[in-house]
Amino acid sequence: MTLNLRCRDYGFECDFSINEEITKEIVKKLRDHFDEEHGIDYTIEAVLQMISNRGHSLESIK
Ligand SMILES: [Zn+2]
């Protein structure tokens, strides 16, 4: 399943987006982005929640 996520959708003024297969690496990439670009240290669980809130199944990364 492909994750299509834009940082902008979460209220950030940011052009970062992801349009890739959901993998553990993608979750980490997102988490690193929030940390490095926005100074927000989300947990992996929080990022997973953000993804699942958008209607994505997390099956593929379990
Ligand atoms: Zn961003």
Side-chain angles (χ1 to χ4, degrees), residues 18-50:
I18 274 181
N19 193 344
E20 293 178 52
E21 198 72 19
I22 302 176
T23 61
K24 283 195 173 98
E25 284 67 37
I26 289 302
V27 175
K28 186 176 182 303
K29 192 167 156 183
L30 261 176
R31 189 177 171 278
D32 287 347
H33 172 79
F34 288 126
D35 188 12
E36 289 165 16
E37 297 297 323
H38 304 294
I40 302 170
D41 187 17
Y42 284 126
T43 61
I44 291 290
E45 287 70 28
V47 175
L48 287 173
Q49 191 65 53
M50 289 168 78

Side-chain angles (χ1 to χ4, degrees), residues 6-8 12-17 33-34 37-38:
R6 292 178 306 167
C7 214
R8 198 170 285 272
F12 297 106
E13 287 189 26
C14 174
D15 289 326
F16 179 82
S17 67
H33 172 79
F34 288 126
E37 297 297 323
H38 304 294

